[in-house]
Amino acid sequence: MQIDILTLFPEMFTGFFSHSILKRSQDKSIVTINLHNIRDWATSKHKNVDDYPYGGGAGMVMMIEPVVTCIEELKSRTAYDEIIYLSPDGETLNQKIANQLSIQKNLLILCGHYKGIDERIRTNFITREISIGDYVLSGGEMAAVVLTDAVVRLIPGVLNDETSALSDSYQDGLVSPPAYTRPADFRGLKVPDILLSGNDREIVKWKYEQALERTKQRRPNLLNDQP
Ligand code: ADE
């Protein structure tokens, strides 16, 4: 998969993309992530990328020209399956959307900043708008990291244990069962006997029951959601 990210702050991504699963996915050449600084497409003397909103109001708006010339240049080289804009008023990211995106080949992700982007970009160049939750961030960069991580970890071969993503919370419509590791007894706080029993069938059954019970208690809405 190729992911092109358009941002005014490419440096924000380097820590996340150079560690753990996002790093491994790139090292294994399963994913290529390209960061593009929108300012490189600004044509004015001072490389302006934002301006005052028509009609007045607080804050600055990202200008159409640098964003669109950047998108057009990238589109001339790559056929994108989705051109995503991250915005608090987009559809809320969930596991289903992450699954859909994980089977795509090329994604372009646009991060907004300031008071957002010129509406004409959204209506004419964006194919999908995604929010990572009902709160407002200072920009789309953190949302882009969240989206990229949620998608990339689902691509086969990215995780070492192939079943690992499949047993994630939400993947089967349930939250994860509780997990324990050594020691089996920490100051009298004991790991459930069943997990030490070696009876694989019973352990699988126990984990499923725990996941179901937790989902009922904590996230009953998941039980009603369509897969
Ligand atoms: N940009 C600002 N807030 C955001 C959010 N909640 N989700 C996605 N992008 C955003």
Side-chain angles (χ1 to χ4, degrees):
M1 175 185 281
Q2 179 181 323
I3 304 177
D4 288 279
I5 299 179
L6 279 55
T7 171
L8 291 173
F9 303 99
E11 322 76 45
M12 282 188 179
F13 292 87
T14 45
F16 285 103
F17 289 176
S18 52
H19 292 92
S20 186
I21 286 165
L22 289 176
K23 177 178 192 296
R24 200 188 313 151
S25 67
Q26 295 172 89
D27 290 348
K28 287 184 180 172
S29 300
I30 298 170
V31 177
T32 305
I33 302 176
N34 304 311
L35 294 165
H36 306 277
N37 190 337
I38 297 166
R39 206 172 287 279
D40 293 342
W41 278 264
T43 50
S44 66
K45 190 169 149 216
H46 297 292
K47 296 263 174 203
N48 293 355
V49 287
D50 60 324
D51 208 336
Y52 294 99
Y54 276 121
M60 304 290 270
V61 177
M62 278 170 65
M63 298 159 71
I64 188 167
E65 196 198 1
V67 173
V68 166
T69 51
C70 176
I71 291 176
E72 282 175 343
E73 187 179 323
L74 297 179
K75 271 174 83 172
S76 72
R77 296 200 292 260
T78 304
Y80 293 103
D81 300 295
E82 296 280 12
I83 298 186
I84 298 164
Y85 175 53
L86 292 160
S87 168
D89 59 7
E91 56 181 328
T92 308
L93 179 63
N94 56 27
Q95 199 63 30
K96 186 177 165 193
I97 297 174
N99 280 321
Q100 285 170 358
L101 294 176
S102 73
I103 56 172
Q104 304 298 346
K105 205 164 166 312
N106 300 309
L107 300 176
L108 187 154
I109 300 175
L110 171 62
C111 305
H113 228 86
Y114 313 117
K115 272 284 164 197
I117 61 174
D118 190 304
E119 184 67 17
R120 291 167 292 183
I121 305 169
R122 298 175 74 161
T123 46
N124 294 289
F125 296 90
I126 299 297
T127 62
R128 191 157 193 177
E129 303 199 342
I130 294 176
S131 162
I132 62 160
D134 290 344
Y135 40 82
V136 179
L137 300 167
S138 312
E141 282 75 16
M142 282 180 277
V145 171
V146 169
L147 177 64
T148 304
D149 187 86
V151 168
V152 166
R153 67 197 309 288
L154 295 172
I155 302 171
V158 167
L159 298 183
N160 276 338
D161 176 357
E162 282 287 341
T163 62
S164 188
L166 295 175
S167 63
D168 279 349
S169 272
Y170 298 114
Q171 201 60 21
D172 54 4
L174 301 177
V175 303
S176 291
Y180 300 86
T181 188
R182 286 186 289 180
D185 184 341
F186 175 72
R187 299 180 190 162
L189 300 171
K190 298 211 169 83
V191 171
D193 288 338
I194 180 77
L195 295 177
L196 311 176
S197 69
N199 185 335
D200 288 344
R201 255 173 69 110
E202 285 303 311
I203 290 173
V204 168
K205 190 165 157 258
W206 181 87
K207 283 187 179 176
Y208 175 74
E209 285 163 2
Q210 291 287 317
L212 188 60
E213 195 49 41
R214 278 202 165 191
T215 310
K216 277 187 200 157
Q217 278 172 12
R218 297 175 183 216
R219 302 297 305 275
N221 62 305
L222 291 177
L223 297 171
N224 306 323
D225 287 353
Q226 296 302 312

